[in-house]
């Protein structure tokens, strides 16, 4: 009996898939089809898969060509499956030509001609209206944002607005998009807004964008006053729009996994969280010269407060700030201490002092250690009283990580703004309140 194996996502099952499976089956007597899991697809950069794995398996089975369906959940699995199932022929479409030649030592490799003019990507794009993003602010982060948008389906960058039009023009030329000087024309041309302007301008831009009926993805810190955050979220809700704070850590798969493990009980009850993030900046950088809204905590505080709010909650009994300030009064280094009824937390950040950037979560049965850059979580360890026992976890973090945030933003829009568990409105409001309290201490 000749055994054949093939693999795919088989999202939005189409003619190309059907023809591939038919020809794969005809290559032998017994066909095994490997269908990818959602998490494996995410690790290989396919972020927009529509059908659940159950639907995708059902669709493969319905063709009647598959004698057996298996799940493909990790890179490197193909090699082992070929040995395990005693495979004679491995086959995939010609879009993969050459990619699997390494399997030729174990079995025959056949690339079947791909059916023209059809793909899941095409179907996904036809299904969803492409969201046109307009960017406000054209600094460093906006330059990192544009290439990441290209990796998320269902969205494209339409143009950039900047009151300093030359800056918008330079940015637009670099990324081959449109530059807008007139904000009304800008809003007319787009569906959603990404705000990456200086912190102090976020509130007004959020207000304006919502009033123009646009969903908003805004860089952290969203706003610097609790009242402003409450008002902005209430407005968004009233207008049926999504207001979304861009703290990329909150949306990356490794951080999700970390929260899941931390809250699973393996380290017992969480009693202490310590998060530190430092990034040395030049003395003449915007971050260290904007005397109103610069400094370490405004810049990095959202990152270090995130795991604390996620794991210990917003119900702290007290919060205090301690800073080392530069000559212009901006904090070069800040430590925030929070006391909870049954726990403690410390958030440390610095732009002018370098320290070990780690996240430590201590519980009654063990602790979790995530080394820098924990804010782009890829690896963490769980330690116990028995020093010989260490559980290790890893997860991918692709590119600059903004793609996770962008795809979550689109997901939120497509689900009517619900499902904000990765970073809730309440958490964003608490963060704005903490920023406000910090700025009050600076004025004292
Ligand atoms: N396939 C094919 N002809 C097409 C599309 C896909 O022969 N027009 C084949 C692929 O080469 C692969 C299998 O079908 O062997 C499953 O492919 P999959 O990646 O699930 O489908 P795509 O339509 O290529 O999906 P996407 O657009 O998400 O990459």
């Amino acid at each position: 009996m000749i055994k054949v194996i093939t693999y795919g996502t088989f999202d939005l099952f189409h003619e190309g898939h059907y023809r591939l499976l038919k020809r794969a089956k005809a290559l032998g007597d017994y066909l095994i089809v490997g269908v990818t899991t959602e998490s494996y697809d995410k690790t290989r950069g396919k972020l927009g898969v529509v059908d659940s794995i159950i639907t995708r398996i059902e669709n493969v089975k319905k063709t009647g060509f598959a004698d057996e369906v298996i799940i493909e959940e990790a890179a490197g699995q193909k090699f082992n499956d070929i040995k395990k199932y005693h495979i004679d022929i491995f086959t995939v479409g010609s879009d993969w030509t050459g990619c699997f030649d390494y399997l030729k030592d174990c079995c025959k490799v056949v690339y079947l001609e791909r059916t023209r003019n059809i793909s899941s990507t095409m179907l996904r794009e036809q299904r969803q209206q492409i969201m046109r993003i307009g960017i406000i602010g054209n600094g460093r982060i906006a330059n990192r944002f544009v290439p990441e948008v290209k990796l998320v389906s269902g969205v494209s960058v339409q143009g950039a607005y900047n009151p300093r039009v030359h800056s918008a023009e330079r940015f637009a030329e670099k990324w081959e998009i449109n530059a807008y000087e007139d904000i009304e024309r800008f809003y007319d041309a787009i569906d959603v807004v990404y705000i990456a302007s200086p912190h102090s301008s976020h509130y007004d831009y959020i207000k304006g964008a919502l009033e123009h009926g646009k969903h908003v993805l805004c860089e952290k810190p969203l706003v610097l006053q609790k009242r402003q955050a409450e008002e902005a979220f209430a407005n968004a809700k009233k207008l049926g729009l999504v207001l979304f704070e861009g703290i990329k850590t909150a949306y990356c798969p490794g951080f999700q996994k970390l929260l899941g493990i931390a809250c699973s009980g393996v380290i017992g009850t969480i009693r202490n969280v310590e998060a530190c993030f430092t990034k040395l900046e030049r003395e003449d950088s915007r971050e260290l010269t904007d005397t109103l809204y610069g400094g370490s905590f405004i810049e990095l505080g959202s990152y270090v407060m995130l795991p604390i709010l996620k794991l210990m909650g917003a119900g702290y009994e007290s919060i205090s700030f301690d800073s080392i300030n530069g000559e212009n009064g901006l904090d070069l280094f800040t430590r925030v201490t929070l006391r909870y009824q049954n726990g403690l937390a410390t958030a440390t950040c610095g732009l002018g002092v370098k320290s070990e950037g780690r996240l430590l979560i201590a519980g009654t049965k063990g602790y979790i250690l995530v080394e820098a850059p924990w804010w782009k979580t890829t690896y963490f360890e769980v330690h116990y009283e028995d020093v010989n026992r260490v559980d290790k976890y890893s997860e991918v973090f692709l590119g600059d990580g903004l793609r996770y945030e962008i795809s979550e933003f689109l997901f939120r829009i497509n689900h009517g703004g619900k499902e904000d568990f990765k970073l809730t409105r309440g958490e964003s409001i608490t963060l704005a309140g903490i920023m406000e309290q910090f700025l009050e201490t600076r004025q004292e």
Side-chain angles (χ1 to χ4, degrees), residues 101-163:
D101 288 357
Y102 69 91
L103 297 172
K104 280 182 179 165
D105 289 342
C106 331
C107 66
K108 194 171 162 191
V109 175
V110 177
Y111 298 105
L112 291 168
E113 197 185 330
R114 193 178 157 88
T115 307
R116 283 169 202 274
N117 300 325
I118 180 93
S119 74
S120 304
T121 306
M122 262 172 62
L123 294 176
R124 281 194 289 268
E125 285 178 0
Q126 279 164 17
R127 274 168 62 99
Q128 37 180 202
Q129 174 211 359
I130 302 281
M131 293 272 177
R132 296 163 303 166
I133 296 196
I135 300 180
I136 299 179
N138 318 125
R140 262 184 300 174
I141 181 78
N143 276 293
R144 294 213 296 266
F145 185 82
V146 181
E148 291 273 323
V149 170
K150 297 201 167 116
L151 299 161
V152 180
S153 56
V155 67
S156 71
V157 179
Q158 160 72 16
Y161 165 79
N162 195 319

Side-chain angles (χ1 to χ4, degrees), residues 6-11 14 16-17 20 23 44 46 91-96 112-116 118-122 124:
T6 189
Y7 296 85
T9 306
F10 303 103
D11 189 27
H14 57 68
H17 296 143
L20 181 110
R23 286 170 294 156
R44 51 193 204 121
K46 263 196 190 187
T91 185
V92 277
S94 53
D95 44 325
W96 295 99
L112 291 168
E113 197 185 330
R114 193 178 157 88
T115 307
R116 283 169 202 274
I118 180 93
S119 74
S120 304
T121 306
M122 262 172 62
R124 281 194 289 268

Side-chain angles (χ1 to χ4, degrees), residues 155-323:
V155 67
S156 71
V157 179
Q158 160 72 16
Y161 165 79
N162 195 319
R164 288 177 294 125
V165 69
H166 294 305
S167 173
E169 278 166 1
R170 249 179 289 129
F171 184 82
E173 196 175 323
K174 174 170 175 194
W175 295 109
E176 298 179 343
I177 54 175
N178 301 307
Y180 295 89
E181 189 178 8
D182 175 356
I183 199 148
E184 294 300 328
R185 283 192 48 230
F186 170 72
Y187 282 133
D188 283 347
I190 60 166
D191 305 302
V192 300
V193 177
Y194 171 57
I195 299 175
S197 55
H199 307 319
S200 54
S201 62
H202 287 184
Y203 173 72
D204 286 336
Y205 281 131
I206 291 172
K207 203 163 180 242
L210 292 175
E211 278 164 7
H212 284 81
K214 309 298 167 190
H215 301 286
V216 178
L217 163 51
C218 180
E219 263 307 317
K220 44 95 201 142
L222 187 80
V223 285
L224 299 166
Q225 283 179 22
K226 188 174 182 202
R227 186 194 51 77
Q228 291 182 341
E230 285 169 342
E231 184 198 303
F233 279 112
N235 264 343
K237 193 170 175 200
K238 195 170 72 199
L239 295 162
L241 296 166
V242 172
L243 171 58
F244 183 101
E245 182 171 14
I247 304 177
K248 69 178 175 192
T249 309
Y251 311 103
C252 78
F255 190 70
Q256 291 301 309
K257 189 182 260 187
L258 170 74
L259 295 180
I261 300 288
C263 297
S264 71
V266 288
I267 59 164
T269 309
I270 299 169
R271 294 283 193 226
N272 184 44
V273 178
E274 291 172 25
C276 177
F277 183 177
T278 65
K279 182 169 119 194
L280 290 183
E281 289 288 354
R282 287 164 42 147
E283 274 179 35
D284 60 356
S285 64
R286 177 198 50 82
E287 290 84 349
L288 286 177
T289 52
D290 175 352
T291 49
L292 276 182
Y293 301 110
S296 309
F297 190 66
I298 297 295
E299 197 56 31
L300 301 174
S302 314
Y303 289 117
V304 286
M305 288 309 303
L306 177 71
I308 296 174
L309 293 184
K310 285 292 196 201
L311 295 165
M312 305 290 282
Y316 47 86
E317 291 175 340
S318 67
I319 183 166
S320 60
F321 304 90
D322 251 323
S323 297

